[in-house]
Each structure stands twice: as C-alpha cells, then as structure tokens.
Amino acid sequence: MSFKVTVIGAGSVGFTKTLISDLLKVPEFADCEFALTDLNPHNLDMVHQIIAKIVAVNNLPAKVTATTDRRAAITGARYIMSCVRVGGLEAFASDISVPLKYGVDQCVGDTLCAGGILYGQRNIPVILEFCKDIKEVAEPGAVFLNYANPMAMNTWAANAYGGVQTIGLCHGVQHGAHQIAQVLGVADSELDYVCSGINHQTWYIDIRAKGRKIEKDELIAAFEAHPVYSKQEKVRIDVLKRFGVYSTESNGHLSEYLPWYRKRPEEISKWIDMSDWIHGETGGYLRYSTERRNWFETDFPMFLEQAAKPLDQHKRTSEHASYIIEAMETGRVYRGHFNVRNNGIITNLPDDAIIESPGFVDRFGLNMVEGITLPLACAATCSASISVQRMSVEAAMTGDIDMLKLAVLHDPLVGAICTPDEVWQMVDELVVTQAQWLPQYKDAVPAAKERLAKGTVKTKDWEGAARKKVRSVEELREVVGGHH
C-alpha cells in the first residue's frame, strides 16, 4: 500500500527519525511517501539525509522529500504529524523568566501554568493554519496527529475550530507504566492498566500485574521501597497517598500543575530532586533544552551511522503514531491512550474537554472506551485545569487579553501565589515580551505597554528556589537570543 505521511516540525531531528523508523518497521509501509517540512532548512537537510539513508540502506521503495513549503508537504497527505514549538527557545525563556519575577516557579512551563498558557497562545494560531492547509490540500478525511504541547489546548483548538480530525499523542502514560512495572518487579508486558484523565494529569485507576489487581497500599509500599523513585518522585508519591492513584506525569511537571507543592520557596526543596531536570528543577527543561540546543549538530554523524544499519536492528518504540496508522491501514487492532474530545467518555469531566483515555484503533478509526468515572479527587484536579484550558483556547481564538488574564488567574499554581493585580501585570508583560509570536494580540499590545509603564506591582530579581547554578536566567537569555 502507498500513501503520504507529512511531518511538520521535522527539524526535531531525533524525534522525526524515531517516528519514521517506527513506520518503516511495518512491512506494508515500505513504499509510502514521507514528506518532511520545517522552517529551518539546515535542520531539515540533516533529517532528510538521515531518513533517505535509512530508506536506501534497506532497499525500500519509499519516497522521502523535504521542503520548507509546508503546504506543498501537506498536499495529498493522508496523515499529518506536528511536533512544532512556536517561538523556539527565545519565547520559552520568557515563559519561565517573566513569571519568576512574580514568584511563579515552574519546572517545565509547557502545558499549564503561566508558561504553558502563553505557549498555547503562540501555538494555536499556527495549529489552525495547519488545519486550513489540511482541509484544502490533504487527502479527504486526512488525520492530524498532534505531538506538540500544550497538548490539550492544541488538540482542543484543532478539533473545535480547525475542522480536522485531530488526535493528540503523548508518551507519558507509557513512561509512568514502565515505572510501575519496575517497582512491582514485573516486565512491562506483564502489566495491564486503565489510565484516564487529561494530558499530563492522567491517572492509573486500575492496575493489574500478571493479572493480579494492585491496590493502593501495595503500590505505595513499592514506590517507597524503590531506591531511586522514592527520592525522585516525592510529589507523585504524596499524591498517590492522598488521592489513592498514581499520576502519569513526572515529579517536576506534576508539581507545577497543582497549587500545593511550589507555592512557598522554602517548601519547594522538600518535594523536588535535583539529580535531573525533570524532577522539579526551576526552569529545568529550559536549561536542558538550551544547553542541548545544537546537540543534533554533534550527534549528526552518529545518526547517519545508525541510519546505515538494517531496520531489523531498530526496535520499534512505544510512540503511538506508527501503531495508529498501522491499525487504520491494515485493520490490526491497537490499544493505546489518546487525546480526544470527551463527549461522555469520562463521565465526571466536561464534554468539551480534551481527555486522555484508553481507546482502540482499527480500519474503522479510533474507538474510545466510554463510561469511565474518575475518583473524585482526580476529577476535581482535572476540572480545575480544564477550566483554564477552555479560557486559554477562547483567548487564543479571539485575542481577548482580559480572557487571557482570567485564564492565568485561575491557573492552580499561579492562583496559589499571585494576587489579581500581579496576574494582570504579569500577563501584560508576557504579551508585550512575546508580541512577535502573538498576532491575535496586536491591537492589545500598545495599551499593555502603557499599563506596564505605570505599573505599581513590584517584581523581584529571582532565579527560583531550585535552580542548578549552571547558567543564570540572564545567561540563558543571552544564549537563546539568536536561536529562534
């Protein structure tokens, strides 16, 4: 069979290599067309060389193209994947540094909290441009697979306003399940589970190890006894004890989605671990991304060397995309966890929310498991975030800066730290700082600048409560200044 798959943001060299290598592991896809597109021609050329070499070495009839013309890449595609970050590291730096001035200490800032909300404002207009192209030039009925954060907001906008069938994909569920298998001492293949909620706040509400149901107390004991996770996952373990279920997301991520663990600087060190950025370091992902901003340059020879190896040496990963496409094209059923509009799938979350929950894919498409009810504490936590997401999407669609401020005001962590006046000034500062990536706020920027000039809220020069002394915020700004 032959069809076209397009990767937008293909300059994410390592991830694109993974996605397409996984697809080429499916025998029926040997003669597909893979269209790569990115704004950065240099990165695009590197990934093109890698994928073309994989195809050539394995004597596959597949076609590989690369172009900076996104619309041309999408033309005739049956499946379109997105892994873009609008504004790059420069915008990301202000997602972290501006809220810090107001006391909001984020580890990642790409899903919720002040940084994640602004990230959504930058991404949503671009996501809708993708949808417009898909409707106009892709195959009729083309499927949009979104890997880009903020997952829920992007997928919400694409489904509600883009008019394209969009499925959001994330690997957090698989990674959390791997942890659970490790602490229980079983293989990944011996663990069965139902995980449901919203992206990055998904909950393992039923766990079976070798067919035996695992209860709360056994799981707590297993995590507390683990020599590594007991130190790295303090927030997740504490939430497990209080809620009764384990969360998918990493310690650092989860700590910034909730109002309890990063609200007072003197408390933060009790809950995070500095052995790796993902466990709660202030601005950890920004530091990691900045220091590795050109990693693919040095690793490119290694990628080319790997590309010269036969595909049978590539172990297919747990990323959902290849399995979804395989199921839709061949009928081989795939069970995974997908981000889609709720519509009653989870009984105690709003219908319009983008939820992450189990489903099955076959030739008939994606079929979600309906009638799941979350534990009340999990539903309450998800509902608070969903309200923020809903307002954030509305703000991004309308360019309503007052709605944007209300979204940030209702964010759980921001609300635990900031007064309304602080939120209003912080959002003005974020919108002015990021104006070049926020076309929908063009008319709001002049007034925001005037308000900032008269600003009465005092800010502070603060690096955060848990920052590795590798680079200061100022040094990070200098490093990313020329790398959009």
Side-chain angles (χ1 to χ4, degrees), residues 49 58 83 91 103 135 150 198 202 206 230 239 312 333 366 380 467:
Q49 289 185 55
N58 290 277
C83 38
K135 285 190 296 184
I198 64 173
T202 325
D206 194 343
S230 59
V239 170
D312 58 14
V333 178
L366 174 57
R467 184 180 293 279

Side-chain angles (χ1 to χ4, degrees), residues 1-60:
M1 57 183 63
S2 179
F3 53 87
K4 184 176 180 180
V5 177
T6 299
V7 182
I8 307 173
S12 302
V13 177
F15 193 54
T16 301
K17 175 180 175 291
T18 294
L19 293 176
I20 294 181
S21 296
D22 284 352
L23 283 165
L24 289 172
K25 291 288 286 187
V26 181
E28 291 89 343
F29 298 169
D31 61 348
C32 285
E33 177 181 352
F34 300 98
L36 313 175
T37 184
D38 197 280
L39 293 175
N40 186 320
H42 178 57
N43 291 14
L44 187 61
D45 177 65
M46 284 193 292
V47 75
H48 186 205
Q49 289 185 55
I50 292 166
I51 304 304
K53 188 165 189 175
I54 291 172
V55 168
V57 166
N58 290 277
N59 297 312
L60 300 174

Side-chain angles (χ1 to χ4, degrees), residues 159-198:
N159 278 302
Y161 299 101
V164 173
Q165 181 190 357
T166 305
I167 304 170
L169 303 179
C170 180
H171 44 229
V173 172
Q174 300 98 296
H175 289 181
H178 178 66
Q179 281 191 338
I180 293 170
Q182 284 187 304
V183 302
L184 294 175
V186 300
D188 289 3
S189 60
E190 296 173 318
L191 189 76
D192 296 299
Y193 52 89
V194 174
C195 193
S196 191
I198 64 173

